[in-house]
Amino acid sequence: MTLTVEEEVEFSFDFDYRKLAEEVILAALEMEEFPYETEINLFLVSMEGIQEINREHRKIDAPTDVLSFPLITYPIPGDFSDLELDGDNFNPDTGEALLGDIILCTDKVKEQAGRFGHSEKREFAFLILHSMFHLFGYDHMTQEDSEIMETKQNKILGQMGILR
């Protein structure tokens, strides 16, 4: 797996966020039985930075906690059976599947951890994990879809011992 992390803002956490991001991503890949090596980009941005991206791409002029930009379209969420049919899904130099970009607001990690009464580590892990499921094609537009994502996220966080 290639994980590229770009820090576009100054921040500090009391945990190794690069290591945690990698562990969470690997756990998601394993749970979903993703059959390929992957390439993922993680951008850590400010409140202003994510608001600008949210306004530009979603036409919502407000900050958010995390944005996901999948590079692969799936006929069914979590169905990876036809990925090889589209060569554009893979980096021609490395052969890795191009899953997409995760844009995470470090300010929101801190704010939401305080609001929800859990650690910044838990909030960071949750947001990375949530975004990974979007990169696998899952969404939460219906109650049923939301429950599927939530169950998967809770299972992984529980297995990792990252609890509320």
Side-chain angles (χ1 to χ4, degrees):
M1 173 182 74
T2 300
L3 173 62
T4 303
V5 179
E6 292 192 27
E7 299 140 348
E8 298 182 3
V9 64
E10 286 189 35
F11 62 93
S12 67
F13 291 125
D14 63 356
F15 57 91
D16 183 341
Y17 60 90
R18 286 176 181 264
K19 182 177 182 226
L20 181 60
E22 205 168 285
E23 290 171 352
V24 168
I25 289 167
L26 288 171
L29 291 166
E30 184 177 308
M31 174 183 258
E32 288 297 293
E33 299 179 359
F34 193 79
Y36 306 99
E37 289 297 313
T38 61
E39 184 175 311
I40 299 166
N41 299 306
L42 170 61
F43 299 89
L44 302 171
V45 301
S46 66
M47 196 84 75
E48 296 78 18
I50 206 156
Q51 181 169 346
E52 182 179 325
I53 296 165
N54 205 21
R55 179 176 51 245
E56 182 180 327
H57 292 276
R58 297 177 63 221
K59 308 301 183 226
I60 298 172
D61 192 12
T64 190
D65 49 12
V66 68
L67 293 168
S68 310
F69 293 97
L71 293 177
I72 298 174
T73 303
Y74 306 93
I76 299 168
D79 179 1
F80 314 120
S81 59
D82 292 336
L83 288 188
E84 287 188 30
L85 298 178
D86 185 352
D88 291 340
N89 292 331
F90 296 88
N91 181 323
D93 296 327
T94 66
E96 291 177 317
L98 300 168
L99 278 185
D101 298 336
I102 298 171
I103 317 244
L104 187 137
C105 178
T106 56
D107 297 324
K108 282 287 192 179
V109 169
K110 293 175 179 295
E111 174 192 303
Q112 290 178 176
R115 182 168 8 122
F116 299 134
H118 55 241
S119 70
E120 292 175 3
K121 178 180 179 179
R122 195 272 180 198
E123 187 65 19
F124 183 89
F126 169 79
L127 292 174
I128 296 287
L129 192 53
H130 184 81
S131 194
M132 281 301 296
F133 283 106
H134 283 306
L135 297 186
F136 293 142
Y138 293 92
D139 213 326
H140 43 81
M141 299 305 286
T142 68
Q143 181 65 30
E144 181 182 343
D145 291 343
S146 184
E147 287 172 6
I148 290 169
M149 278 185 74
E150 199 171 301
T151 299
K152 289 175 179 282
Q153 291 164 172
N154 289 337
K155 183 174 182 181
I156 290 174
L157 291 172
Q159 290 171 341
M160 295 181 74
I162 302 173
L163 308 171
R164 288 193 142 174

